[in-house]
Amino acid sequence: MPLSSGSLSTRWLRTFRPVASPRLRLVCFPHAGGTASFFRAWHQHLPADWEVSAVRYPGREERIAEPDSTSMAELAGQLADALTPSMTPRTVFFGHSMGASVAHEVAALLAERGATGPAALLVSGRAAPHRLRRLTTGDLTDEELQAKVSQLGGPGAELLLDPELRDLVLPPIRADYRLLEAYVDGAKAPAVDVPVIAYFGENDPGPTPDDVRAWTELTTAGFEVRGFTGDHFYLVPNEAELLRDIRERLTALG
């Protein structure tokens, strides 16, 4: 059944191919330092009646003048507020890296409030909350943080080589890393009563495959996992294959 609400395009969300009555809406949560534009081509691999929206974190792109979020609780709370009016039973969350944690926290918060939550939670390149490890980036110089981020690769990593662009790109990355460091020791959301599908790069220098598989302990409604050839940003070269897998799995969910 198509969704009754209109297309999402707000301060917190960017919609890439508006659909009047989408049959399914995929809301994507970017990685640390990431932007909504990371998901700009995803709709090209999905059915025409599916809509893709991506979260706009403060402190970057159109919101570059706004202060970065300082805690996971703050960010998740603001996103839950922003999403609640347009949530439907046919909305699905996808989060990569930091975005996986944000999506999980928002899903759990919506459930706690008694609001409509996502039909499924898709997490990517992220250890389960109880398997997270400290990042130890708080005291790094800009050059050291740049080197650490560059090791992960991914789109936009070359921007760090330009001193002027680095001054724009590095602050939100540092802010997100500080948020994540605090999150490791902070309170975390409980298991959610929605299916969880986990994806990972088989050569990711961050979370191990077992760290990602541990998401099975964060759902009471079914768990599936799939690895892809590649590193932390495996989803860039494997974009078409990943979205084909997502399409097939979500269609199977009904």
Side-chain angles (χ1 to χ4, degrees):
M1 169 180 257
L3 304 181
S4 58
S5 59
S7 299
L8 290 175
S9 186
T10 69
R11 173 169 164 252
W12 281 96
L13 290 170
R14 179 180 176 187
T15 298
F16 299 97
R17 180 184 59 195
V19 178
S21 297
R23 181 163 57 92
L24 184 144
R25 177 176 288 132
L26 185 64
V27 177
C28 302
F29 297 72
H31 52 280
T35 66
S37 296
F38 183 78
F39 301 98
R40 64 186 177 277
W42 276 34
H43 66 274
Q44 299 174 13
H45 303 283
L46 296 171
D49 58 356
W50 287 26
E51 187 171 83
V52 178
S53 297
V55 170
R56 290 168 160 163
Y57 296 142
R60 60 215 77 187
E61 291 193 327
E62 300 91 344
R63 303 184 65 186
I64 195 168
E66 300 180 38
D68 297 290
S69 300
T70 58
S71 72
M72 182 66 77
E74 174 192 12
L75 181 58
Q78 291 173 329
L79 277 166
D81 291 343
L83 287 169
T84 294
S86 52
M87 286 295 298
T88 77
R90 300 291 293 172
T91 300
V92 172
F93 288 173
F94 175 96
H96 177 63
S97 197
M98 179 184 91
S101 290
V102 180
H104 170 229
E105 291 289 331
V106 173
L109 189 53
L110 291 172
E112 179 183 316
R113 294 178 177 181
T116 299
L121 174 62
L122 282 55
V123 295
S124 166
R126 184 68 167 162
H130 56 291
R131 298 287 291 265
L132 292 173
R133 298 176 179 83
R134 184 170 298 282
L135 297 171
T136 62
T137 58
D139 297 325
L140 295 182
T141 65
D142 284 353
E143 290 71 21
E144 291 169 335
L145 181 58
Q146 174 186 340
K148 188 175 184 68
V149 172
S150 296
Q151 288 177 354
L152 295 176
E158 69 281 358
L159 299 179
L160 295 173
L161 301 177
D162 184 310
E164 293 185 5
L165 292 177
R166 185 179 65 188
D167 289 343
L168 293 175
V169 175
L170 211 55
I173 294 176
R174 186 180 292 280
D176 286 349
Y177 274 30
R178 284 173 175 162
L179 181 154
L180 292 174
E181 285 176 356
Y183 181 64
V184 169
D185 294 327
K188 300 176 183 62
V192 290
D193 190 27
V194 298
V196 172
I197 303 169
Y199 297 100
F200 64 92
E202 293 168 346
N203 301 115
D204 193 333
T208 67
D210 284 343
D211 289 335
V212 178
R213 293 188 184 100
W215 278 97
T216 188
E217 300 173 42
L218 272 296
T219 175
T220 59
F223 177 77
E224 298 177 35
V225 63
R226 179 176 174 184
F228 286 85
T229 300
D231 54 20
H232 190 63
F233 285 97
Y234 74 90
L235 65 177
V236 175
N238 293 297
E239 182 174 276
E241 186 178 0
L242 170 64
L243 288 166
R244 181 167 54 251
D245 188 89
I246 289 174
R247 183 177 65 243
E248 291 173 354
R249 291 178 191 271
L250 294 183
T251 299
L253 287 176

